[in-house]
Amino acid sequence: MTRLPASLLPEGLTAAVEEASGARVVAVRPRGGGGASRDGAELDLAWPDGRTASAYMNYDVHRAGAGDDASFLREAAVLRALSGPLALAGVRVAPYYASVPDQRALVCGLVAGCDRFGAITDPVQRDALAADFMAQLAALHRIDIAKQPIEGMGPIESADVFARRRIAGLRAGNSGRAWDPLIHLALDWLEANIPADMPPPAIVHGDAGPGNFLFEGDRVTALLDWELVHYGDPMADLAMLCLRMLFQGFVPLPQAFAAYEAAGGHSVDRARLRFWRLLFQTAFARRSRYDDPDAPPPPNLGMNLVYSTIHRRVLSQALAEAAGVALPPVAMPDAAPGAHDRSFAVALDDIRDTIVPRLSDQQAAVKAKGLARLIKWWRAIERYQPGFHAAERLEISAALGRDFPDHGAAWSAFCQAVSDGGIETEAAIILCNAHAAREAALLADAMGGLAETRLAPLD
C-alpha cells in the first residue's frame, strides 16, 4: 500500500509546510539529516498555478524552543532574502520555499553540485573554483545592510558587540567541573584584545569554507549551511575558512585572500582575522570537549576525541602566537609497551580483520572504527601517561615553587593558580601547551594522517 506523504513526516509538519509555501506536498522521500536529532527529506511540491519543484527539507523538531531558535530564524531570513529581494547581489543559494519555526523545518530547492572540493585533482579547476568561492564571499560582504536590512535577521549590531557577547558566553560555559585553564587564558587574551578598528557590520556567513558549498566544474552553485549567519566583521568569514582548512583542503590562504580582494571584497586585515580565528578556535575547543561531564554523549566518541584534541592543541599554539610567547620543546618521555599491549593489539586486529569487513550497516562500521581509535588511545595511556604525568608534575612544581605528591594535586594547584592570577601568563600558556601537546601525543596513533594538523600560514 502506498503511504501518504504526511505519514512519512512528524505529525502536522506536512500541513505546516503546505501552508507556509502555498504548495501541495505530493511526495516525500526521507533522507538523513545532520546531528543526533536532525532529520531530512526530499519533497516534491506543486503550486496551484502549475509550477512544480523538488526541494530538500531539514527539520529538528526536538530542538524547537530549546533556546537557540534565533539562529534558525536568521538562517531562514537570509536565505529568503538572498532568494528574493537581494537576489541581484549575486550570492548563490538554494532557493527558499518555506520555513516552519515551530518545528525548525527549512525547505529550499534542490541545487545540482558536488561538495567535495578536496577530491578535485585538476589544479586549474581548483584555482578557478576557489576564486569563484571567494568572489561569492566578497559579494555577500558587499551587501549594504544599512540600506537593505534583512527582515528577520534581528537588529544590526557592531562586530565588537558580537565579539563581547561570544566571549561572555564562552566564559559562562567554562565553569564548574569542566573549567579549563586553556580556555580561561584564551578568553582573557581575547577580552583584552578586541580590535578597535572594526568596520561597519556586514552579513557574515559564519561557517564559510570547503564542504559548505556546492559546485559544478569551476563554479559555485550554492553556499550551504547558514546556521551561524550573523551581522559582523567580514574577516570572521576568512577566519572560519582557516579553521575549516584544518580538516579539509583548499588553496593556499594568500591565494584565496588575493582572489577575495580582486573580487571586490574588503581589504584583508590579518590582525583582525587572527582575533576571530582565535575566538572561534576557543569555541571549538570548549564545545567539543569529550570529557565535559555536562555534555551529552557524542555520536562517535573516537572521532570526537580526535577532533577535540586537535582543536585544543591548535588553540594552545595559536594563543601562544597571539600573546607573543615562545614555546619551548615539550618533553615526551618514552616508555616500554604496557602490560596489556598484546590484548590491545588482538582487539585491534579483530576489529580491522573480522568485525568491520562483516558489517553491512554503515553506522555500525563507523562506530567500530571509532572504537578502534579508542583502543589505540587506551594503549597509549597505559604506556606513556605515567611518564607524561611525572614530567608535568615537575614542570608545575617548578612554575609554582612547591612540590606536589602526585600529578592530580599538581594539576589542581595549577588550575587554581591560573584562576586566581597566581602564575605569570607566559608560564601558564607554556604549561597549557605542554599539556595539550601530550594529550595529542597520546592520540597520535589514533589520529593517523590528522596527527600533524596545523593552521595554514596566512602569508
Side-chain angles (χ1 to χ4, degrees):
M1 182 175 65
T2 302
R3 299 178 65 185
L4 297 175
S7 69
L8 299 173
L9 296 173
E11 183 178 357
L13 183 52
T14 300
V17 168
E18 291 181 335
E19 181 178 358
S21 65
R24 186 166 57 92
V25 177
V26 297
V28 174
R29 294 176 293 278
R31 270 181 46 185
S37 64
R38 201 168 189 76
D39 288 305
E42 287 186 12
L43 310 178
D44 289 339
L45 304 175
W47 283 265
D49 61 6
R51 288 182 300 126
T52 62
S54 292
Y56 177 72
M57 174 176 70
N58 60 54
Y59 56 95
D60 204 353
V61 297
H62 302 294
R63 285 179 59 194
D68 59 353
D69 287 345
S71 62
F72 172 82
L73 295 175
R74 287 193 295 270
E75 179 183 13
V78 76
L79 289 172
R80 180 170 56 242
L82 293 173
S83 298
L86 294 179
L88 292 179
V91 181
R92 301 172 208 131
V93 297
Y96 170 92
Y97 291 140
S99 62
V100 183
D102 288 348
Q103 295 179 290
R104 289 177 66 99
L106 183 61
V107 184
C108 293
L110 293 178
V111 177
C114 172
D115 65 352
R116 297 180 60 205
F117 183 92
I120 300 173
T121 58
D122 180 358
V124 175
Q125 181 190 359
R126 286 175 62 88
D127 290 351
L129 177 58
D132 192 51
F133 170 71
M134 300 309 296
Q136 283 288 289
L137 288 185
L140 178 68
H141 297 160
R142 281 199 307 270
I143 295 174
D144 189 342
I145 56 175
K147 293 181 179 178
Q148 296 177 289
I150 297 178
E151 181 182 357
M153 272 277 288
I156 298 175
E157 64 179 11
S158 62
D160 65 306
V161 170
F162 174 83
R164 292 181 192 281
R165 187 174 67 251
R166 287 295 300 272
I167 292 169
L170 289 168
R171 199 177 288 284
N174 190 41
S175 60
R177 292 175 297 171
W179 187 88
D180 187 326
L182 176 59
I183 301 299
H184 180 87
L185 291 166
L187 293 174
D188 280 354
W189 187 92
L190 288 162
E191 200 163 42
N193 290 277
I194 296 174
D197 55 347
M198 298 282 199
I203 303 171
V204 175
H205 179 280
D207 199 8
N212 274 352
F213 62 88
L214 296 176
F215 64 90
E216 287 187 324
D218 59 6
R219 184 177 187 274
V220 172
T221 56
L223 300 183
L224 305 175
D225 295 339
W226 293 81
E227 292 93 339
L228 301 180
V229 67
H230 61 276
Y231 294 129
D233 182 1
M235 293 303 103
D237 269 340
L238 303 190
M240 186 58 72
L241 170 64
C242 298
L243 297 185
R244 291 194 67 84
M245 286 174 61
L246 285 170
F247 306 109
Q248 295 173 296
F250 199 58
V251 298
L253 285 171
Q255 177 182 335
F257 296 160
Y260 172 78
E261 291 181 339
H266 293 240
S267 178
V268 176
D269 185 317
R270 284 164 173 74
R272 296 202 327 264
L273 191 158
R274 287 188 177 93
F275 171 85
W276 292 112
R277 188 179 67 178
L278 186 65
L279 175 57
F280 297 150
Q281 185 62 33
T282 303
F284 283 135
R286 174 65 188 91
R287 188 171 59 234
S288 62
R289 288 287 289 155
Y290 61 88
D291 55 358
D292 185 345
D294 300 317
N300 186 327
L301 179 58
M303 281 309 300
N304 182 267
L305 178 67
V306 166
Y307 290 131
S308 171
T309 303
I310 290 172
H311 280 307
R312 291 180 56 72
R313 185 194 63 205
V314 169
L315 174 61
S316 71
Q317 294 167 343
L319 174 60
E321 178 187 350
V325 174
L327 294 174
V330 177
M332 298 285 186
D334 199 0
H340 304 94
D341 188 74
R342 173 63 178 160
S343 62
F344 289 130
V346 170
L348 289 168
D349 289 344
D350 285 346
I351 291 173
R352 183 192 63 220
D353 299 332
T354 304
I355 296 174
V356 171
R358 299 184 185 187
L359 287 177
S360 58
D361 184 296
Q362 183 182 18
Q363 184 178 17
V366 169
K367 291 273 191 179
K369 292 175 182 177
L371 179 58
R373 294 180 190 274
L374 291 175
I375 293 173
K376 291 178 179 180
W377 179 50
W378 296 332
R379 180 172 62 183
I381 287 174
E382 182 184 67
R383 177 175 180 176
Y384 296 110
Q385 191 174 72
F388 287 4
H389 278 181
E392 190 161 83
R393 177 175 61 83
L394 292 175
E395 291 164 354
I396 293 173
S397 294
L400 298 184
R402 62 184 191 272
D403 294 331
F404 298 96
D406 54 46
H407 175 265
W411 184 252
S412 294
F414 170 65
C415 289
Q416 191 63 52
V418 173
S419 177
D420 296 343
I423 182 173
E424 292 292 331
T425 298
E426 179 175 349
I429 290 175
I430 289 172
L431 286 170
C432 279
N433 175 72
H435 185 76
R438 292 181 181 122
E439 284 183 328
L442 292 176
L443 264 170
D445 191 23
M447 288 180 182
L450 295 175
E452 299 302 318
T453 299
R454 297 286 188 277
L455 289 170
L458 300 181
D459 297 300

